[in-house]
Amino acid sequence: MTDLRTRLARKPIVIAPGVCDALTAAIAADAGFEALYVSGAAIAYTKLGRPDIGLVSMAEVADHVALLADRVALPLIVDGDTGYGNALNVQRTVRAFERAGAAAIQLEDQTFPKRCGHLDGKGVIPAAEMVGKLRAAVDARASDRFLIVARTDAAAIDGLDAALDRAAMYAEAGADVLFVEAPRTEDDLAAVAKALGGRLPLLANMVEGGKTPVLPAVTLEAIGFSLVIFPGGIVRALAATARDYYASLHQAGTTEPFRNRMLDLTGLNDVIGTPAMLAAGKRYE
């Protein structure tokens, strides 16, 4: 597996698409990406059919990560929300995610229950409390190959300057990657890079319809970012397709009108590796 720390230290920018299950992880890996982002929002959307408002538990995410790590060999950057509690909860979360096969955990400074970073009504814990949680995360990991991504949501509450001050504190606490959530303009993104770039790799979050303008990876790299995630895009694509598929089936009483937008049985078996698995099984007969 690629060492994520080493990869983030060089160009080009790493594009980590969001994945919601082992199927989308496998398809993303086949598309040629170098890392994948396991979105807590995407898990809530697909496993629960609910919004990203802190409903998914730590154990559910750890179990989910283990299934993905068993299917793909790419580094998995896993959304750990607030760490599901205080500093001791953070340590348990770090150990669980690292054992499950994650390459990195993202921890944020929101109050609990948290909510999607591009929703209104967020709150943040005191910066000193988050520093303690990050120090606990660093102490808990078994290997320094496992990265700690420190996210601050303070820009929406206290302004961008306050968020930048927090991010600098989080770097001092031992974070490996810095993530200032929901800058509102390209100029704000540039301000993040100017203030924090050169210290640690910076992560940009592209959310379709969110508070940050969705920019191409090459533009974000030029601004100064090392990693860009598209966390929930796959779920929005799947939801749009599923809505059209079910509407078509309900109206026509058959899938034939939708066939040119579907894989057939053979096509899906090729994607999920059925022929190779059956051939491997024959070795044990």
Side-chain angles (χ1 to χ4, degrees):
M1 181 188 296
T2 301
D3 179 77
L4 188 59
R5 185 187 300 277
T6 302
R7 176 61 187 84
L8 289 174
R10 61 178 174 82
K11 293 185 177 181
I13 189 172
V14 174
I15 304 172
V19 297
C20 57
D21 54 20
L23 175 60
T24 53
I27 293 171
D30 288 345
F33 291 101
E34 297 178 85
L36 305 176
Y37 183 77
V38 184
S39 162
I43 296 173
Y45 298 156
T46 55
K47 287 181 72 72
L48 306 181
R50 296 295 186 183
D52 179 23
I53 53 173
L55 299 175
V56 180
S57 72
M58 183 274 282
E60 287 175 310
V61 178
D63 289 345
H64 196 76
V65 171
L67 293 174
L68 271 60
D70 185 60
R71 182 64 179 86
V72 297
L74 294 180
L76 301 175
I77 304 163
V78 182
D79 182 0
D81 287 348
T82 63
Y84 309 96
N86 64 15
L88 297 180
N89 295 107
V90 166
Q91 291 195 315
R92 182 167 182 253
T93 300
V94 165
R95 289 192 292 265
F97 285 13
E98 190 174 9
R99 283 196 305 269
I105 185 173
Q106 173 197 302
L107 295 167
E108 64 199 47
D109 58 7
Q110 282 197 51
T111 53
F112 188 84
K114 58 88 53 159
R115 61 179 61 198
C116 170
H118 291 256
L119 293 176
D120 294 327
K122 298 185 295 183
V124 291
I125 61 175
E129 182 180 348
M130 184 62 178
V131 165
K133 292 170 78 167
L134 291 170
R135 290 172 53 208
V138 171
D139 288 346
R141 63 185 172 186
S143 168
D144 64 6
R145 286 171 59 95
F146 183 81
L147 303 187
I148 310 299
V149 180
R151 165 177 149 179
T152 178
D153 285 72
I157 297 103
D158 300 318
L160 185 61
D161 287 344
L164 297 177
D165 289 343
R166 280 178 175 250
M169 293 175 65
Y170 300 166
E172 293 296 326
D176 302 296
V177 179
L178 299 177
F179 174 7
V180 176
E181 176 64 300
R184 290 182 173 270
T185 66
E186 187 169 344
D187 286 343
D188 285 348
L189 288 163
V192 171
K194 182 178 180 181
L196 302 172
R199 302 186 63 172
L200 292 174
L202 302 180
L203 182 155
N205 183 18
M206 299 289 100
V207 177
E208 302 81 4
K211 297 185 183 297
T212 303
V214 177
L215 302 177
V218 65
T219 301
L220 292 165
E221 179 182 307
I223 290 172
F225 289 85
S226 300
L227 172 63
V228 55
I229 60 173
F230 293 81
I234 183 59
V235 183
R236 283 182 275 280
L238 290 172
T241 301
R243 184 177 58 189
D244 292 347
Y245 166 81
Y246 289 121
S248 175
L249 177 57
H250 185 265
Q251 180 178 21
T254 174
T255 57
E256 285 303 311
F258 213 81
R259 283 288 295 276
N260 65 345
R261 297 178 59 186
M262 299 169 59
L263 296 174
D264 64 10
L265 182 60
T266 300
L268 181 60
N269 280 327
D270 287 342
V271 167
I272 61 179
T274 302
M277 289 201 74
L278 293 177
K282 290 186 178 298
R283 300 205 312 265
Y284 306 106
E285 291 179 357

